[in-house]
Amino acid sequence: MTVRYFAGARAAAGRTEETASAGRSLDELVVELTARHGERLAVVLKVASFLVDGVTCHDRRAPLPAGVTIDVLPPFAGG
């Protein structure tokens, strides 16, 4: 699967996107991404919203299928 980072998540991860193995849940993916990138990204992931192929993820424990794109959207400021 592809993980795409936006705004503050991009800055915390130090990249715009990366790949991760499928078959895990969103909660498990967050643990993996935190291990890869450290506490700075962990802080962002705690408050971020996640889109799975453009749809808001409501069940963070459901397995993610292969080939999906996960968008990591931190809270945005402004208006």
Side-chain angles (χ1 to χ4, degrees):
M1 74 179 102
T2 301
V3 180
R4 300 188 307 184
Y5 299 103
F6 295 87
R10 181 183 315 140
R15 62 191 65 221
T16 58
E17 71 178 44
E18 64 184 311
T19 59
S21 56
R24 63 190 66 223
S25 69
L26 186 57
D27 282 342
E28 292 167 330
L29 177 63
V30 167
V31 169
E32 177 184 336
L33 297 175
T34 297
R36 284 186 192 181
H37 301 291
E39 188 60 29
R40 185 171 175 211
L41 182 59
V43 169
V44 174
L45 295 175
K46 287 179 185 177
V47 295
S49 298
F50 299 89
L51 301 180
V52 178
D53 282 343
V55 178
T56 302
C57 180
H58 295 291
D59 184 358
R60 294 175 56 114
R61 290 178 275 155
L64 297 166
V68 297
T69 298
I70 309 297
D71 292 330
V72 181
L73 306 170
F76 293 94

